[in-house]
Amino acid sequence: MHPSAPTSLSLTDQLALQRTRLANERTLLTYVRTCLALVGFGLALLQFHPERGGRLGYTALAVAAVVLLVGLLRFRVHRRRLAACERRD
């Protein structure tokens, strides 16, 4: 939402949209944090126990990629919905 753009939303609704937008960003950062933890766990397993923890380490890396992908997709969907709410009269 741009300050110069006229909008018919009340101040309360504008603030609610801003809070929701910030919550969406915090949720994305939570997905990224979880992804980084899984990457660290997977790499540690591969580094310290390559023969015994190899499969689990690679699985953790794959799960990290899936978690990041899901987080990014959810973020984009919610961002589009919020943008649609801002444009709505």
Side-chain angles (χ1 to χ4, degrees):
M1 179 169 45
H2 303 290
S4 61
T7 180
S8 62
L9 294 175
S10 69
L11 178 61
T12 305
D13 291 337
Q14 290 175 12
L15 292 174
L17 280 171
Q18 186 66 26
R19 283 191 303 271
T20 306
R21 184 181 306 111
L22 291 172
N24 190 33
E25 292 174 7
R26 282 192 307 268
T27 303
L28 174 64
L29 292 175
T30 302
Y31 276 101
V32 171
R33 183 183 62 208
T34 303
C35 174
L36 289 174
L38 284 167
V39 166
F41 176 68
L43 292 178
L45 278 175
L46 291 172
Q47 180 71 30
F48 295 121
H49 299 289
E51 63 280 340
R52 295 182 76 199
R55 181 177 292 167
L56 185 58
Y58 287 120
T59 302
L61 293 176
V63 169
V66 170
V67 166
L68 184 60
L69 181 65
V70 167
L72 287 172
L73 291 175
R74 287 178 50 108
F75 174 77
R76 290 182 65 197
V77 166
H78 290 291
R79 185 178 61 186
R80 281 191 207 128
R81 286 182 184 171
L82 289 171
C85 288
E86 286 179 352
R87 288 189 297 263
R88 200 176 60 183
D89 288 333

